Amino acid sequence: MRTFLTLDRSERDESYPEALVEAFLREQTITGDVVLDPFAGFGTTLVVAERMQRRPIGIEFLADRAAHIAGRISSDATLIHGDSRRIDELDLPPVDFVITSPPYMCRNDPQDPLQGYTVDGAGYDAYLDGLTNIFRRLRSVLKPDRRAVVNVSNINRYDGLTTLAWDVARAIAQVMTFEGEVVIGWNDDDHLFNYDHEYCLIFRNA
Ligand SMILES: C[S@@+](CC[C@H](N)C(=O)[O-])C[C@H]1O[C@@H](n2cnc3c(N)ncnc32)[C@H](O)[C@@H]1O
């Protein structure tokens, strides 16, 4: 796969583009594969996976987002309104491929992203530890040697720079093998985090 993809982003929101999911599913999966998104958000992964005859599973913490996703997918897709921090307790079938974008955090943000920003958290390092723990548990759900792709950006905001992509890579690399990154370049001038590019980090369940 190329290590640089240029994509159009149609809307300025928290979704990643369908073209990003499509590119990875085409490259990394075949018809009938089980594709998991542990942070399902608005359901992009599930919608694209279904369209490509994969079997999607999504987990989403927030009830309103889970309801939104339910309206976008068929009854054959699996959507769990639940908590990926206990992903190994959700009775999931063996998964062939994971693609996701985690909830983002800037270094000084008070809320806990891993609880949908609904309560105060214990800080940036605790958030990164939380991600490590989720991917540690995810290893028992993902088939051996299969991959997890994590879409993430660094964030350059009014209150400073958070090297989120580097830090997430290091957090997950504690429990899965980091194989490299694909740089995603945006074809527009409306840059969410003051960058015209972000990353898809690729991990293997070695
Ligand atoms: C960046 S969004 C994902 C966007 C998605 N890629 C899309 O295109 O719609 C991250 C999502 O993770 C959810 N989330 C946060 N903590 C979670 C948890 N512990 N378990 C499951 N979902 C969680 C958030 O509510 C949010 O919707």
Side-chain angles (χ1 to χ4, degrees), residues 4 15 24 26-27 33 38 50 53 73 107 114 119 124 146 168 179 184 187 192 199 206:
F4 190 92
S15 306
F24 279 96
R26 209 178 305 117
E27 176 81 19
D33 272 1
E50 253 206 316
Q53 283 92 45
I73 55 176
R107 186 159 274 290
L114 296 175
V119 297
Y124 188 66
R146 300 303 175 100
V168 167
E179 288 195 321
I184 310 295
N187 246 342
L192 266 182
Y199 304 91

Side-chain angles (χ1 to χ4, degrees), residues 54-168:
R54 277 56 170 172
R55 290 180 287 159
I57 301 175
I59 305 164
E60 174 52 48
F61 187 85
L62 295 176
D64 56 339
R65 293 207 180 164
H68 174 80
I69 299 171
R72 301 186 68 197
I73 55 176
S74 82
S75 54
D76 293 338
T78 304
L79 172 68
I80 299 169
H81 170 218
D83 190 344
S84 284
R85 291 174 302 170
R86 286 190 287 282
I87 196 161
D88 50 339
E89 297 169 13
L90 297 176
D91 273 335
L92 302 181
V95 166
D96 295 290
F97 185 65
V98 172
I99 183 162
T100 195
S101 182
Y104 285 12
M105 180 173 188
C106 291
R107 186 159 274 290
N108 297 317
D109 286 350
Q111 302 96 351
D112 182 4
L114 296 175
Q115 297 184 69
Y117 308 99
T118 52
V119 297
D120 277 355
Y124 188 66
D125 290 341
Y127 156 75
L128 293 173
D129 286 346
L131 281 178
T132 303
N133 286 329
I134 289 173
F135 280 82
R136 179 181 288 117
R137 287 171 178 244
L138 193 148
R139 289 193 58 189
S140 66
V141 174
L142 182 61
K143 292 179 184 172
D145 275 332
R146 300 303 175 100
R147 294 193 169 90
V149 170
V150 179
N151 170 239
V152 65
S153 177
N154 291 325
I155 301 176
N156 194 356
R157 215 174 56 171
Y158 62 92
D159 56 350
L161 178 71
T162 299
T163 54
L164 185 66
W166 314 152
D167 300 336
V168 167

